[in-house]
Amino acid sequence: MQKLIFIASLFLIGCVQNQQVHPPVGGILSEKDLNTSKNRAKNLNQVERTQIKEWIINQQQQYYPMSLNYWVNIENLQQNRRKPDGEIISYEYDIYDFDWVKLYAKPKKNLNVQFGRFEELKAVEDVLRYLDKNQEAIILVPSVLAFGTYGDNDKIPNDMPLIIKIKVL
């Protein structure tokens, strides 16, 4: 009887189909997969930038392009002194969709963080480097500079461009 159970077990194990193994997130992708992802991001960014430009045309507020490919409501902001790594800053911001629907009830707030050592959206970090204490700005951020393909796993879905109202404390 034990031999029969052993042979049946081996037979069942031999019948199991192998499942395709996918690389883990952050794992190795083929050149084709990398090119597909790169082209998707490039095309999505172009579409979003066109949509944001059209949105800006219909606004009473002026928005100006920044070198990192987002827009800010302060003209010539990059002419201000750029804060270097190591400088300390406190700030808060609210996140909206392009219908001006606030996505989180409370602002995201960070106190006494050091440039070069905090994790933040690149557009948020970039605009903070040019803002002075108590200064506010509105930035328009394509999804590639926001939460990208995966969203924030909470209120922000994948591939969502954002409006961010930020204030230096």
Side-chain angles (χ1 to χ4, degrees), residues 51-111:
Q51 291 171 337
I52 292 170
K53 287 176 183 177
E54 289 172 2
W55 183 89
I56 289 171
I57 290 169
N58 295 315
Q59 304 304 305
Q60 293 180 357
Q61 175 91 46
Q62 289 285 350
Y63 292 91
Y64 306 93
M66 295 287 282
S67 61
L68 195 58
N69 292 321
Y70 65 93
W71 290 262
V72 65
N73 67 328
I74 301 170
E75 190 173 12
N76 299 319
L77 182 63
Q78 288 181 303
Q79 291 179 1
N80 290 359
R81 180 185 78 87
R82 185 178 190 277
K83 295 174 184 70
D85 283 351
E87 193 165 323
I88 304 293
I89 191 167
S90 295
Y91 61 95
E92 67 181 15
Y93 62 91
D94 287 301
I95 300 174
Y96 301 82
D97 66 14
F98 271 79
D99 291 323
W100 282 104
V101 173
K102 193 172 181 180
L103 300 177
Y104 288 94
K106 293 182 180 180
K108 294 185 181 270
K109 190 174 195 174
N110 288 305
L111 302 175

Side-chain angles (χ1 to χ4, degrees), residues 1-147:
M1 185 64 159
Q2 289 180 340
K3 286 184 180 180
L4 183 60
I5 293 173
F6 179 72
I7 292 172
S9 298
L10 286 177
F11 179 76
L12 288 174
I13 291 171
C15 291
V16 173
Q17 292 181 352
N18 291 332
Q19 294 181 348
Q20 184 179 1
V21 177
H22 297 282
V25 173
I28 299 170
L29 296 174
S30 70
E31 188 70 28
K32 180 182 175 189
D33 291 338
L34 289 173
N35 285 333
T36 299
S37 177
K38 183 179 174 181
N39 289 334
R40 179 192 176 281
K42 181 180 176 183
N43 293 336
L44 178 63
N45 191 34
Q46 288 174 344
V47 167
E48 285 181 359
R49 290 183 60 74
T50 299
Q51 291 171 337
I52 292 170
K53 287 176 183 177
E54 289 172 2
W55 183 89
I56 289 171
I57 290 169
N58 295 315
Q59 304 304 305
Q60 293 180 357
Q61 175 91 46
Q62 289 285 350
Y63 292 91
Y64 306 93
M66 295 287 282
S67 61
L68 195 58
N69 292 321
Y70 65 93
W71 290 262
V72 65
N73 67 328
I74 301 170
E75 190 173 12
N76 299 319
L77 182 63
Q78 288 181 303
Q79 291 179 1
N80 290 359
R81 180 185 78 87
R82 185 178 190 277
K83 295 174 184 70
D85 283 351
E87 193 165 323
I88 304 293
I89 191 167
S90 295
Y91 61 95
E92 67 181 15
Y93 62 91
D94 287 301
I95 300 174
Y96 301 82
D97 66 14
F98 271 79
D99 291 323
W100 282 104
V101 173
K102 193 172 181 180
L103 300 177
Y104 288 94
K106 293 182 180 180
K108 294 185 181 270
K109 190 174 195 174
N110 288 305
L111 302 175
N112 300 317
V113 292
Q114 186 177 22
F115 280 109
R117 299 240 173 149
F118 64 99
E119 295 180 18
E120 193 54 83
L121 299 175
K122 291 296 181 196
V124 168
E125 180 179 353
D126 188 61
V127 79
L128 285 170
R129 288 188 182 263
Y130 297 102
L131 294 175
D132 295 323
K133 189 171 184 164
N134 297 318
Q135 191 172 13
E136 297 180 25
I138 298 172
I139 59 176
L140 311 176
V141 185
S143 66
V144 70
L145 291 175
F147 291 93

